[in-house]
Amino acid sequence: MLVALAALLLGIYALVDCLRTTGSEVRGLPVPVWVAVIVLLPVVGPLAWLVAGRSHRRSGPAQPSSRGSAPKGPDDDEDFLRSLDRKDLGDL
């Protein structure tokens, strides 16, 4: 009983995840084919989707690449720090 429930939940999760994934984020097969695989092959289909079908994107905002990314704040920008007049900072 518990195994059947786990298989059902896995299938529902994989199906919803597949349907919410855009075509450019899917690997291997088109989304409609993945949906058929998930529905027609219980346990194996959802596992195949989770392992091979979806791209391994991370939820949340995309992280900027370390190369060529903008500084996070003025104190991270070396050009800004170099441009500061150190004599004026003594008054603070």
Side-chain angles (χ1 to χ4, degrees):
M1 178 72 169
L2 190 58
V3 173
L5 181 62
L8 179 65
L9 291 175
L10 177 66
I12 290 171
Y13 174 77
L15 184 61
V16 170
D17 187 46
C18 180
L19 291 173
R20 293 186 63 188
T21 304
T22 62
S24 64
E25 296 174 330
V26 176
R27 295 186 301 173
L29 304 170
V31 172
V33 176
W34 275 116
V35 169
V37 168
I38 292 168
V39 171
L40 297 175
L41 301 172
V43 180
V44 175
L47 287 176
W49 164 253
L50 294 174
V51 172
R54 70 177 181 170
S55 69
H56 296 284
R57 66 189 190 284
R58 293 313 90 258
S59 58
Q63 298 296 325
S65 65
S66 60
R67 186 177 50 158
S69 63
K72 294 181 181 174
D75 57 334
D76 293 335
D77 187 351
E78 293 178 20
D79 293 330
F80 174 77
L81 294 175
R82 276 190 229 111
S83 70
L84 292 175
D85 186 8
R86 300 291 178 192
K87 290 181 265 182
D88 292 337
L89 292 177
D91 297 334
L92 297 175

